[in-house]
Amino acid sequence: MYRTITHAATELFPTIYCRRITERSHDKMAFHKVLLVPWLAASQIHAFTTKISHVATLIPSTKKSDVKCRLDFLSAVPDTQNHDDASIAATTAPKPHKRRERYSGRYPKNFKDKYKERQGDEETISKVLAKGMTPAGQHVPIMVKECLHYMGLEDNQHDRDSPVLVVDCTLGYGGHSSYILKQIMNSTDARLIAFDQDSVEIIKTEERLRKAVLEETDTATESAGEGNDIFTAVNQNFAELGSYMTSTNQVGKVTSLLADLGLSSMQIDNNERGFTYKRDGPLDMRMSPEDDSTETAYQLLQRLRVRQLKSMLKNNSDEEFADEIAFGLIGDRSKIPKTTMELADRVRDIARPLIVKQHNWNSEQIGKNQAKKLKSQLDSTIARVMQAIRIEVNGEFRVLERLLEDIPTKVLSPGGKVVILTFHSGEDRRVKKSFKSGFKSGIYSAWSRDVVRPTKEERRDNPRSSCCKLRWAILSDQIAN
């Protein structure tokens, strides 16, 4: 049989080299899987495999546990002299295995290297969560139980037969939305509309939530069927919520609204987005990275004057060293930082002597405890500077104020509930002022005079929740939209 196959090959290719290998089979030999060299013409390959397949049909189809076929066409050289020994060796030589880039330490630091977490490896994810960290590419929702309670979506709080229309202003990874969907899934008339301006993350989140909805409703189709009518994802900034409700004829029909104003963990962890100073990346900070009409953080710094940056740092993050930092960052137009690490290093160099002087420390003899406190204050200063720039790049205060104006007039139904999660004083001041003035004027029937904070256990398990504040309000039944 081996001679027959070899003869069939040499008829097609006069000069051919073979070597023997052992291949086991319980039935017919899979001769069509013989390896051919890349420069053989397609017609030659077809003619050869056709003849070999014919020979294979002659093999008895009896079950033999030790049938062996010793054939491997290692290389073939056509009669033409177009290929010399060097080109043949280069073509047949196996490609070297490319190892992934190694990193130092037990866990990788860069987002792109955290492939196990991003691919959903359960063992790695459980270890990361046990350390009180957030797995790369994921987001742990904050105060889920409290949000559902103040939105009136707990099991014993809403009538399953009453219409329910919920709006999640910040879809992100879909953490809060997934819990909302579970609560309203069994209602006879319930829908969730989720907004997010991040064109990168909304696609992945929408696909994941729609799949979850299909599984819950036991729908077999992969496309949006009846079960998917419960969920709508809108790739817009929540500043457009009022306009959206008007254009879709849903003004004053929302029963519950949630706005989580914090950055999602996916944005923070991905250093290419430019939101973190702990890993180097471009100074971007745009929520919609594909939107070329929005300037990047670097472009913003290029455009601003020192007095404008100083005012921005004070208004957006209450930065006490705003004067010195503004001048140090853009005073010399030729040295404006282009990356997150450059910005962090520059702010650190500017703020270090100011903090040392503030505490009357000896700059040449800083003790261990002083060094620890100095590092903490420097990190906080850098975070505030990046926060102020990010807020300006994305116009976060402007869109929040627009949302607060539209909630009672274009969004909520009478008795509707709104919950807002804030992460710094600038946001909280605006939410508190709006709810308080609305309560005094009779727009809201109740509001949270005191903020709701995460429990001690949640702050331990999810450190990113530590600075979060929850405020809620209920629209008066007397308000007519």
Side-chain angles (χ1 to χ4, degrees), residues 24 46 84 104 107 174 181 190 207 252 295 302 307 319 345 352 389 404-405 424 458 462 471:
R24 297 179 181 273
H46 177 72
D84 53 17
S104 58
Y107 296 101
L181 284 170
E207 181 181 358
E295 62 183 356
Q302 284 184 310
R307 60 178 179 80
E319 176 52 51
D345 291 341
R352 181 182 286 107
I389 297 174
L404 293 171
E405 291 176 3
H424 55 82
E458 182 170 8
N462 182 15
R471 289 193 184 272

Side-chain angles (χ1 to χ4, degrees), residues 337-348:
K338 296 181 180 180
T339 69
T340 54
M341 292 295 284
E342 285 181 23
L343 176 69
D345 291 341
R346 187 77 61 79
V347 173
R348 193 177 286 110

Side-chain angles (χ1 to χ4, degrees), residues 377-448:
Q377 287 192 255
L378 286 173
D379 288 345
S380 297
T381 302
I382 297 169
R384 286 194 299 270
V385 171
M386 295 193 70
Q387 170 190 299
I389 297 174
R390 187 202 76 223
I391 289 173
E392 193 67 24
V393 167
N394 298 286
E396 295 178 24
F397 285 161
R398 293 191 297 273
V399 300
L400 174 58
E401 289 168 356
R402 183 174 174 183
L403 173 67
L404 293 171
E405 291 176 3
D406 288 344
I407 286 175
T409 59
K410 298 180 180 180
V411 181
L412 286 184
S413 62
K417 300 174 176 62
V418 53
V419 172
I420 299 181
L421 301 179
T422 64
F423 290 82
H424 55 82
S425 58
E427 292 173 340
D428 184 61
R429 279 198 303 267
R430 286 164 171 80
V431 175
K432 179 181 178 180
K433 180 180 178 180
S434 176
F435 287 174
K436 184 177 181 179
S437 62
F439 176 74
K440 287 184 176 180
S441 61
I443 295 176
Y444 294 113
S445 60
W447 73 291
S448 53

Side-chain angles (χ1 to χ4, degrees), residues 20-224:
R20 296 186 176 189
I21 62 170
T22 300
E23 184 173 303
R24 297 179 181 273
S25 174
H26 294 289
D27 209 325
K28 295 180 180 181
M29 301 299 101
F31 292 115
H32 59 282
K33 294 183 179 178
V34 171
L35 174 66
L36 298 176
V37 294
W39 61 75
L40 292 182
S43 59
Q44 292 176 311
I45 296 174
H46 177 72
F48 175 69
T49 53
T50 301
K51 182 163 287 191
I52 294 304
S53 298
H54 174 69
V55 175
T57 59
L58 302 178
I59 300 176
S61 184
T62 55
K63 294 184 178 180
K64 297 179 180 180
S65 60
D66 198 20
V67 179
K68 299 180 180 179
C69 171
R70 294 176 169 85
L71 175 65
D72 176 26
F73 294 100
L74 183 63
S75 61
V77 184
D79 291 334
T80 58
Q81 301 300 319
N82 295 334
H83 303 286
D84 53 17
D85 293 341
S87 64
I88 295 173
T91 307
T92 58
K95 294 182 179 180
H97 175 67
K98 185 178 180 180
R99 298 175 64 89
R100 67 176 176 84
E101 186 177 351
R102 296 294 176 177
Y103 51 83
S104 58
R106 181 175 297 180
Y107 296 101
K109 294 183 178 181
N110 291 324
F111 179 82
K112 64 180 181 179
D113 295 330
K114 299 180 180 182
Y115 66 97
K116 289 187 178 181
E117 298 171 39
R118 291 189 287 114
Q119 292 175 0
D121 183 78
E122 294 183 0
E123 182 179 358
T124 303
I125 290 175
S126 62
K127 290 180 180 179
V128 173
L129 292 173
K131 292 177 63 180
M133 301 170 63
T134 301
Q138 297 187 18
H139 178 77
V140 179
I142 297 173
M143 288 194 282
V144 173
K145 184 177 180 181
E146 292 85 346
C147 288
L148 294 176
H149 172 74
Y150 289 110
M151 292 172 70
L153 295 178
E154 288 187 325
D155 293 334
N156 58 347
Q157 286 184 304
H158 67 283
D159 186 358
R160 299 290 181 183
D161 296 326
S162 299
V164 176
L165 177 57
V166 184
V167 169
D168 184 350
C169 293
T170 47
L171 176 61
Y173 187 76
H176 286 108
S177 285
S178 62
Y179 284 96
I180 292 172
L181 284 170
K182 290 179 182 179
Q183 292 300 112
I184 67 175
M185 192 73 71
N186 297 325
S187 299
T188 56
D189 182 10
R191 287 183 299 125
L192 169 64
I193 302 174
F195 285 73
D196 204 299
Q197 65 174 332
D198 192 329
S199 56
V200 175
E201 295 297 334
I202 193 172
I203 298 174
K204 296 182 285 187
T205 301
E206 181 179 8
E207 181 181 358
R208 185 170 56 253
L209 290 182
R210 286 195 182 281
K211 183 179 179 181
V213 169
L214 287 172
E215 292 175 353
E216 288 290 332
T217 55
D218 197 24
T219 305
T221 59
E222 294 183 359
S223 59

